[in-house]
Amino acid sequence: MARKIYHLNHFSRNGDQFFVRFSRSHGEIDESCHRHDFVEIMYLISGHGVNYVDDVPYPILPGDLYIINRGSTHAFRVSGDFQYYTVMFRPSEFSGRELKLFRKLTGFEAFFSSRPPADGRRNIAKIFLPPPFAGEVTRLLEQLCAEDLKYPEFAAITRKAGLRLLLAKIWRSHQVLAEQFGDRLSASGADENGAFLPLMNYLNANFDRRLSLRRLAAEVHLSPSYIGEFFRRKTGSTLVKYINSLRIEKARIMLLDDPERPVSEIAAACGVPDSSYFTRLFRTATGCSPAAYRERFGH
């Protein structure tokens, strides 16, 4: 049961109905269950863990965008270099005419409504932003944060336009995905047989070991031939992609925290004994080799 209630006036200035910020933390965070009296959009840049919306667990992956409506419960457990944007607003930020225009967009209410859809499905709590939407949303949030910090008077004029554009991009992104993948996007993150949360907990605790489908399936009492599809249906990502994202996040931390440690040892410590393969994974995820990453971001 949620013990805390967050109010928008705890974050916004001068009674504004809109607030945006960029947050970064290093290490482990365990945010206990809470509710808030505003709509929260959470866009993840890096980090790994589990996000809970209305007690449904979702694996945290870079590029995820979460929508937590008023009255919904929210909690998360994360570790590593955790970076994310938070947008908080109340629907009263918009006029009645603006809200009416939003509601004309097919499926918009499934995102931004405190009531479940009439067809009995859950509201949409998570989407993964594909290109080019991920870059567009990131740049928009960067701009809103910069204006809010450096030019608060100017931000008061532009933030509403920015918020309208953000909501429109979220809706359009989901429409593009729906056109490509159809009903698979509507699969809930809910766990019908109790396997998902144990699987996530096991992956988050053991990603730096050698893992096999047989071992994972045995841990959560699923068949090896089904567990990959099970994970993909729940998260929209493959098991391999998620495990590799955890390994790369750990490697990034180790490269900077221990600048003298050989890359081959770091690769093995992250569960990838083949250092050449590890370098390819790292370059794909970050755009540079482990050595170049260490040189660029090390102190």
Side-chain angles (χ1 to χ4, degrees):
M1 179 178 293
R3 297 179 179 179
K4 295 187 292 186
I5 298 179
Y6 292 149
H7 301 279
L8 188 57
N9 58 15
H10 293 165
F11 306 95
S12 64
R13 298 187 297 270
N14 303 321
D16 291 342
Q17 302 296 299
F18 174 77
F19 178 75
V20 57
R21 70 179 177 189
F22 173 76
S23 301
R24 181 173 188 174
S25 62
H26 184 76
E28 296 185 358
I29 300 176
D30 191 348
E31 176 66 37
S32 61
C33 191
H34 59 272
R35 299 178 188 269
H36 26 67
D37 66 350
F38 50 86
V39 179
E40 178 181 4
I41 298 172
M42 188 177 186
Y43 181 50
L44 305 174
I45 304 299
S46 67
H48 54 80
V50 183
N51 208 352
Y52 300 85
V53 181
D54 287 329
D55 298 321
V56 178
Y58 300 89
I60 285 177
L61 292 168
D64 282 349
L65 186 143
Y66 291 88
I67 301 166
I68 303 98
N69 279 291
R70 294 171 296 168
S72 292
T73 60
H74 184 211
F76 54 88
R77 294 202 305 269
V78 296
S79 59
D81 181 20
F82 185 47
Q83 302 180 53
Y84 64 101
Y85 287 95
T86 303
V87 177
M88 310 173 188
F89 69 95
R90 290 197 182 100
S92 54
E93 172 77 4
F94 299 107
S95 68
R97 181 177 180 276
E98 288 171 322
L99 291 173
K100 186 176 181 180
L101 289 174
F102 274 130
R103 292 183 182 120
K104 287 184 178 180
L105 299 176
T106 303
F108 188 83
E109 285 286 277
F111 291 107
F112 303 104
S113 175
S114 57
R115 294 172 296 181
D119 60 9
R121 297 184 179 184
R122 290 177 179 266
N123 287 334
I124 297 170
K126 170 189 172 178
I127 62 173
F128 180 81
L129 295 180
F133 296 101
E136 293 172 355
V137 166
T138 300
R139 288 190 291 272
L140 177 58
L141 291 171
E142 288 174 348
Q143 181 180 357
L144 286 171
C145 283
E147 292 175 353
D148 200 51
L149 291 173
K150 296 180 181 179
Y151 312 105
E153 297 83 4
F154 180 68
I157 299 173
T158 62
R159 63 163 60 100
K160 187 173 181 180
L163 179 58
R164 281 201 303 262
L165 184 58
L166 176 64
L167 300 189
K169 286 185 179 299
I170 291 171
W171 175 83
R172 181 57 186 144
S173 173
H174 189 265
Q175 291 298 110
V176 168
L177 287 174
E179 291 166 4
Q180 294 177 351
F181 299 107
D183 290 340
R184 280 181 289 172
L185 283 177
S186 64
S188 168
D191 188 8
E192 299 90 348
N193 60 9
F196 182 64
L197 184 55
L199 175 59
M200 288 305 306
N201 288 337
Y202 186 82
L203 289 174
N204 291 333
N206 296 281
F207 66 87
D208 51 1
R209 300 168 56 189
R210 297 189 67 177
L211 299 174
S212 67
L213 288 179
R214 185 176 298 276
R215 178 63 182 272
L216 292 175
E219 288 290 331
V220 295
H221 308 293
L222 294 174
S223 71
S225 62
Y226 175 65
I227 190 169
E229 174 60 26
F230 172 78
F231 187 85
R232 183 166 51 250
R233 180 165 55 85
K234 296 298 183 184
T235 69
S237 173
T238 66
L239 267 168
V240 170
K241 182 178 180 180
Y242 182 66
I243 292 169
N244 284 339
S245 73
L246 298 180
R247 289 170 170 169
I248 296 304
E249 285 300 317
K250 180 176 180 178
R252 289 167 63 178
I253 295 169
M254 295 179 69
L255 285 165
L256 303 184
D257 286 352
D258 195 350
E260 302 301 322
R261 191 171 185 182
V263 170
S264 59
E265 289 187 9
I266 290 176
C270 294
V272 188
D274 185 335
S275 59
S276 297
Y277 177 60
F278 169 77
T279 297
R280 291 198 299 272
L281 287 177
F282 194 92
R283 190 188 299 275
T284 299
T286 67
C288 61
S289 69
Y293 184 88
R294 175 181 270 166
E295 182 177 353
R296 180 178 179 184
F297 297 105
H299 300 290

